[in-house]
């Protein structure tokens, strides 16, 4: 079999908020994008659920879908696809996944561009190539990755909304009723006192046999705060402490990991095995969290195997992913030995359900792994049209 890529289509999708945008505590830098209005380090966020879909078609008529994690400025990765990566993919055999990944990275690595938007854009194409491969061979992607270790994935819910401790605790109760026995709490971003109050309230209500607990600091803690929170999390028997310190501080993460019992988890900002290698080998990352929409299936598998060699568990990071990104993460999670737990983010997934037909499903806090060829996701382009803000096609 020697098929060829004939065209690449790119859809920038922005799901607008359904209600009134709450502007309290936010400093808007454009009509859509904002940062937290505080002295804490803040990433930029959008009021929309934004993503980029990549549709790859071959000369045999087989279509594959990929998704890029692009919660802000999706036009950047779309431009890289349009002018650089998509033209490179034309005429290539999408079955040669590893070769194409390395070829794409090689085009810019000597200039230092081995991360960020370039690798994000590569991930979208890579996922689509694997979708094509599975459909061409009539197999689910996990079967081509070595076969499944499991047919269900235990999930933790990562969206626990609420402006204060009371509201968030009420939502933890709701999630427990829905079948989740693990949640991740995101920092309020206003110092350790409020975060500790919420974590202690959850643990007072649900002990470690009833609810696994994780905490994501988004890189906002000072060293002092990280040690205080880390020791408290250890007392609570938390599963992991995610991104406690600023993302450049690998040595700080290593020292913290040595000092507390709770595992330090890192991965959201990292790209490729070359970056993960330094974090894993130094002991700075005790749980790895690569993101499918930033690493792709090919590199995610290599990161998982690298972590396995150091006896480090794998818990994929997911944020504003829609069905394609979720499905790709599910297939990788099913096919690796060191899988720990799956991050379930329901918001964008539910909002995009009108145009996404996915064969995976959630049952009482577990994802059932699909068996359809490829990723097991179909996109209704007609139904998606209202959410598409930009579209283009690159063809031979």
């Amino acid at each position: 079999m020697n098929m060829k890529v004939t065209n690449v289509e790119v859809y920038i999708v922005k799901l607008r908020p359904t209600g009134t945008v709450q502007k309290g505590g936010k400093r808007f830098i454009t009509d859509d994008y904002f940062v937290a209005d505080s002295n804490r380090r803040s990433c930029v966020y959008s009021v929309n659920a934004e993503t980029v879909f990549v549709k790859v078609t071959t000369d045999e008529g087989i279509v594959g879908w990929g998704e890029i994690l692009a919660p802000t400025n999706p036009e950047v990765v779309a431009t890289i696809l349009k002018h650089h990566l998509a033209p490179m993919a034309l005429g290539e055999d999408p079955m040669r996944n590893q070769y194409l990944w390395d070829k794409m990275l090689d085009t810019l690595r000597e200039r230092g561009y081995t991360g960020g938007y370039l690798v994000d854009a590569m991930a979208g194409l890579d996922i689509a190539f694997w979708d094509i491969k599975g459909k061409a061979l009539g197999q689910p992607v996990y079967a081509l990755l070595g076969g499944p270790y499991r047919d269900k994935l235990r999930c933790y819910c990562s969206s626990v909304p609420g402006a204060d401790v009371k509201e968030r605790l009420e939502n933890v109760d709701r999630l427990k009723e829905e079948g989740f026995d693990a949640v991740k709490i995101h920092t309020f971003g206003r110092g350790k006192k409020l975060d500790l109050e919420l974590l202690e309230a959850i643990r007072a209500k649900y002990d470690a046999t009833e609810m696994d607990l994780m905490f994501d600091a988004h890189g906002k803690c000072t060293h002092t705060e990280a040690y205080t929170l880390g020791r408290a999390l250890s007392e609570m028997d938390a599963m992991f402490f995610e991104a406690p310190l600023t993302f450049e501080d690998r040595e700080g993460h290593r020292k913290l990991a040595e000092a507390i019992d709770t595992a330090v988890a890192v991965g959201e900002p990292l790209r490729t095995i070359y970056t993960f290698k330094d974090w894993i080998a130094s002991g700075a990352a005790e749980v790895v969290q690569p993101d499918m929409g930033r690493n792709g299936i090919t590199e995610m598998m290599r990161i998982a195997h690298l972590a396995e060699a150091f006896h480090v568990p794998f818990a994929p990071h997911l944020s504003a992913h829609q069905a394609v990104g979720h499905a790709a993460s599910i297939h990788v999670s099913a096919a690796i030995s060191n899988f720990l737990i799956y991050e379930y983010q329901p918001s964008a997934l539910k909002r995009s359900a009108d145009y996404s037909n996915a064969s995976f499903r959630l049952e009482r806090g577990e994802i059932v792994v699909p068996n359809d060829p490829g990723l097991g996701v179909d996109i209704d382009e007609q139904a998606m049209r209202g959410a598409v803000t930009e579209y283009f096609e690159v063809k031979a």
Side-chain angles (χ1 to χ4, degrees), residues 13-17 46-51 70-71 320 322 347-348 351:
V13 172
K14 298 186 180 184
L15 295 170
R16 305 294 183 184
S46 177
V47 299
N48 310 308
E50 305 187 5
T51 197
Q322 298 182 24
S347 180
R351 291 182 62 194

Side-chain angles (χ1 to χ4, degrees), residues 53-54 65-67 127-128 131 292 321-329 349 356 358 360 375 377-379:
F53 287 117
V54 183
W65 284 92
E67 184 180 354
I127 295 166
D131 193 24
M292 178 58 66
H321 295 72
Q322 298 182 24
V324 176
H326 267 279
S329 296
L349 190 59
S356 302
F360 65 85
L375 294 175
V377 178
D378 292 319
I379 299 295

